[in-house]
Amino acid sequence: MTSATVAQTIAALIPENAVIVDESISFGFAFYPGTRDAAPHDWIQVTGGAIGSGLPIATGAATAAPGRRIINFEGDGSALYTVQALWTQARERLDVTTVILSNRKYAILEFELAKVGANPGRTALDIFDLGNPALDWIRMAGAMGVEAARAETLEGLADLLRASNRRAGPFLIELVIP
Protein backbone atom coordinates (compact mmCIF):
# COMPACT_ATOMS: atom_id res chain seq x y z
CA MET A 1 0.00 0.00 0.00
CA THR A 2 1.53 3.27 -1.16
CA SER A 3 0.32 6.81 -1.58
CA ALA A 4 0.07 6.21 -5.34
CA THR A 5 -1.95 2.99 -5.06
CA VAL A 6 -4.33 4.56 -2.56
CA ALA A 7 -4.69 7.53 -4.95
CA GLN A 8 -5.62 5.15 -7.80
CA THR A 9 -8.24 3.50 -5.61
CA ILE A 10 -9.84 6.74 -4.48
CA ALA A 11 -9.71 8.26 -7.98
CA ALA A 12 -11.84 5.39 -9.26
CA LEU A 13 -14.41 5.89 -6.49
CA ILE A 14 -14.79 9.64 -6.00
CA PRO A 15 -18.45 10.35 -6.70
CA GLU A 16 -19.31 13.14 -9.11
CA ASN A 17 -19.54 16.52 -7.35
CA ALA A 18 -17.77 15.28 -4.23
CA VAL A 19 -15.73 17.66 -2.11
CA ILE A 20 -12.34 16.32 -1.02
CA VAL A 21 -10.80 17.71 2.15
CA ASP A 22 -7.14 16.75 2.23
CA GLU A 23 -5.26 16.63 5.52
CA SER A 24 -3.41 13.49 4.56
CA ILE A 25 -0.18 15.22 5.57
CA SER A 26 2.81 12.88 5.23
CA PHE A 27 1.16 9.95 3.41
CA GLY A 28 -1.03 11.59 0.78
CA PHE A 29 1.49 13.33 -1.47
CA ALA A 30 0.16 11.38 -4.51
CA PHE A 31 -3.53 11.98 -3.78
CA TYR A 32 -4.08 15.32 -5.54
CA PRO A 33 -2.23 14.55 -8.78
CA GLY A 34 -3.52 10.97 -8.72
CA THR A 35 -7.15 12.09 -8.80
CA ARG A 36 -6.80 14.40 -11.80
CA ASP A 37 -8.86 12.08 -14.02
CA ALA A 38 -11.50 11.21 -11.40
CA ALA A 39 -15.12 12.29 -11.66
CA PRO A 40 -15.50 16.10 -11.38
CA HIS A 41 -14.98 17.18 -7.77
CA ASP A 42 -13.70 20.06 -5.65
CA TRP A 43 -10.51 19.83 -3.60
CA ILE A 44 -9.84 21.68 -0.35
CA GLN A 45 -6.18 21.48 0.64
CA VAL A 46 -5.41 22.13 4.27
CA THR A 47 -2.89 24.91 4.77
CA GLY A 48 0.51 24.14 6.23
CA GLY A 49 0.91 24.42 9.97
CA ALA A 50 -2.79 23.92 10.68
CA ILE A 51 -2.61 20.40 12.11
CA GLY A 52 -6.07 19.16 13.00
CA SER A 53 -8.17 21.39 10.76
CA GLY A 54 -9.32 18.69 8.31
CA LEU A 55 -12.21 17.31 10.37
CA PRO A 56 -13.73 20.75 11.09
CA ILE A 57 -13.22 21.81 7.45
CA ALA A 58 -15.05 18.66 6.29
CA THR A 59 -17.85 19.41 8.75
CA GLY A 60 -18.14 22.96 7.42
CA ALA A 61 -18.04 21.81 3.79
CA ALA A 62 -20.88 19.34 4.43
CA THR A 63 -22.93 22.08 6.08
CA ALA A 64 -22.26 24.48 3.19
CA ALA A 65 -22.83 21.92 0.41
CA PRO A 66 -25.74 19.68 1.38
CA GLY A 67 -26.32 16.83 -1.02
CA ARG A 68 -22.63 16.50 -1.91
CA ARG A 69 -20.46 13.73 -0.47
CA ILE A 70 -17.51 15.09 1.47
CA ILE A 71 -14.45 12.83 1.66
CA ASN A 72 -11.88 13.80 4.26
CA PHE A 73 -8.42 12.23 4.11
CA GLU A 74 -7.05 12.67 7.60
CA GLY A 75 -3.82 11.69 9.33
CA ASP A 76 -4.42 9.86 12.60
CA GLY A 77 -2.27 12.29 14.57
CA SER A 78 -4.00 15.31 13.04
CA ALA A 79 -7.44 13.85 13.75
CA LEU A 80 -6.67 13.66 17.46
CA TYR A 81 -6.62 17.45 17.64
CA THR A 82 -10.28 17.82 16.60
CA VAL A 83 -11.91 14.38 16.87
CA GLN A 84 -15.01 15.99 18.40
CA ALA A 85 -16.01 17.11 14.87
CA LEU A 86 -17.23 13.52 14.37
CA TRP A 87 -19.90 14.14 17.01
CA THR A 88 -21.14 17.21 15.10
CA GLN A 89 -21.20 15.20 11.87
CA ALA A 90 -23.34 12.54 13.58
CA ARG A 91 -25.66 15.03 15.26
CA GLU A 92 -26.24 16.92 12.02
CA ARG A 93 -26.30 13.73 9.89
CA LEU A 94 -23.70 15.18 7.54
CA ASP A 95 -22.62 13.23 4.46
CA VAL A 96 -18.94 12.98 5.36
CA THR A 97 -16.66 10.02 4.80
CA THR A 98 -13.57 10.35 6.95
CA VAL A 99 -10.61 8.20 5.94
CA ILE A 100 -8.16 8.02 8.83
CA LEU A 101 -4.69 7.27 7.48
CA SER A 102 -3.54 5.25 10.45
CA ASN A 103 0.23 4.97 10.59
CA ARG A 104 0.10 5.24 14.38
CA LYS A 105 2.54 8.11 14.66
CA TYR A 106 2.93 11.84 14.19
CA ALA A 107 4.88 11.27 10.97
CA ILE A 108 4.76 14.93 9.94
CA LEU A 109 6.44 15.95 13.18
CA GLU A 110 9.18 13.34 12.63
CA PHE A 111 9.61 14.74 9.11
CA GLU A 112 9.86 18.33 10.36
CA LEU A 113 12.38 17.33 13.02
CA ALA A 114 14.53 15.66 10.37
CA LYS A 115 14.30 18.79 8.15
CA VAL A 116 16.02 20.87 10.81
CA GLY A 117 18.81 18.33 11.08
CA ALA A 118 17.95 17.03 14.54
CA ASN A 119 19.16 13.60 15.56
CA PRO A 120 16.54 12.67 18.16
CA GLY A 121 17.00 9.98 20.74
CA ARG A 122 14.48 7.34 21.81
CA THR A 123 12.70 9.63 24.30
CA ALA A 124 12.05 12.26 21.65
CA LEU A 125 10.89 9.68 19.09
CA ASP A 126 8.54 8.07 21.62
CA ILE A 127 6.64 11.36 21.82
CA PHE A 128 5.54 10.83 18.19
CA ASP A 129 4.29 7.26 18.79
CA LEU A 130 0.49 6.85 18.69
CA GLY A 131 0.67 3.11 19.35
CA ASN A 132 1.26 3.22 23.09
CA PRO A 133 -1.51 3.05 24.08
CA ALA A 134 -3.05 1.96 20.78
CA LEU A 135 -5.85 4.13 19.38
CA ASP A 136 -9.11 2.42 18.46
CA TRP A 137 -10.67 4.63 15.79
CA ILE A 138 -13.64 2.33 15.36
CA ARG A 139 -14.63 2.64 19.01
CA MET A 140 -13.85 6.38 19.13
CA ALA A 141 -16.05 7.04 16.10
CA GLY A 142 -18.80 4.84 17.52
CA ALA A 143 -18.69 6.72 20.82
CA MET A 144 -19.38 9.90 18.82
CA GLY A 145 -22.28 8.32 16.91
CA VAL A 146 -20.40 7.65 13.67
CA GLU A 147 -20.42 4.18 12.13
CA ALA A 148 -16.89 3.02 11.31
CA ALA A 149 -14.88 0.13 9.87
CA ARG A 150 -11.23 -0.73 9.37
CA ALA A 151 -9.51 -1.46 6.05
CA GLU A 152 -6.14 -3.14 5.84
CA THR A 153 -6.03 -3.62 2.05
CA LEU A 154 -6.81 -1.55 -1.02
CA GLU A 155 -9.72 -3.90 -1.76
CA GLY A 156 -11.09 -3.30 1.74
CA LEU A 157 -10.73 0.46 1.26
CA ALA A 158 -12.56 0.26 -2.08
CA ASP A 159 -15.41 -1.77 -0.57
CA LEU A 160 -15.84 0.67 2.31
CA LEU A 161 -15.67 3.75 0.06
CA ARG A 162 -18.35 2.27 -2.21
CA ALA A 163 -20.56 1.55 0.80
CA SER A 164 -20.09 5.01 2.30
CA ASN A 165 -20.83 6.72 -1.03
CA ARG A 166 -24.20 4.94 -1.16
CA ARG A 167 -25.36 5.87 2.32
CA ALA A 168 -26.47 9.07 3.99
CA GLY A 169 -24.69 10.48 7.01
CA PRO A 170 -21.15 10.22 8.32
CA PHE A 171 -18.91 7.19 8.07
CA LEU A 172 -15.30 6.68 9.19
CA ILE A 173 -12.79 4.34 7.56
CA GLU A 174 -9.59 3.60 9.40
CA LEU A 175 -7.06 2.74 6.69
CA VAL A 176 -4.16 0.92 8.33
CA ILE A 177 -0.90 2.10 6.77
CA PRO A 178 1.85 -0.50 7.27
Side-chain angles (χ1 to χ4, degrees), residues 138-163:
I138 308 310
R139 288 180 48 203
M140 283 196 294
M144 304 243 181
V146 174
E147 187 180 345
R150 182 173 292 112
E152 296 185 14
T153 65
L154 292 172
E155 294 80 11
L157 172 62
D159 290 344
L160 291 172
L161 278 172
R162 280 187 205 98

Side-chain angles (χ1 to χ4, degrees), residues 4-149:
T5 59
V6 171
Q8 289 173 342
T9 301
I10 62 178
L13 297 170
I14 293 174
E16 191 166 328
N17 268 340
V19 177
I20 308 301
V21 176
D22 184 6
E23 190 175 17
S24 57
I25 307 294
S26 59
F27 183 77
F29 60 88
F31 289 7
Y32 183 76
T35 58
R36 179 185 63 221
D37 296 324
H41 60 279
D42 291 314
W43 195 280
I44 300 173
Q45 183 71 42
V46 176
T47 60
I51 297 173
S53 61
L55 284 167
I57 290 171
T59 302
T63 302
R68 295 177 71 183
R69 174 56 62 177
I70 312 303
I71 303 175
N72 176 206
F73 297 105
E74 189 71 33
D76 54 353
S78 298
L80 286 176
Y81 285 91
T82 54
V83 68
Q84 67 274 17
L86 294 175
W87 180 83
T88 302
Q89 293 173 13
R91 185 189 65 199
E92 301 300 325
R93 294 171 178 75
L94 299 175
D95 294 334
V96 177
T97 300
T98 301
V99 180
I100 299 288
L101 302 163
S102 184
N103 61 8
R104 296 158 306 284
K105 61 183 175 178
Y106 284 108
I108 189 62
L109 298 179
E110 285 181 347
F111 174 76
E112 293 297 335
L113 196 59
K115 274 182 32 180
V116 298
N119 187 17
R122 176 57 29 213
T123 301
L125 291 174
D126 284 348
I127 293 172
F128 303 139
D129 179 16
L130 297 179
N132 184 21
L135 297 171
D136 188 332
W137 284 101
I138 308 310
R139 288 180 48 203
M140 283 196 294
M144 304 243 181
V146 174
E147 187 180 345

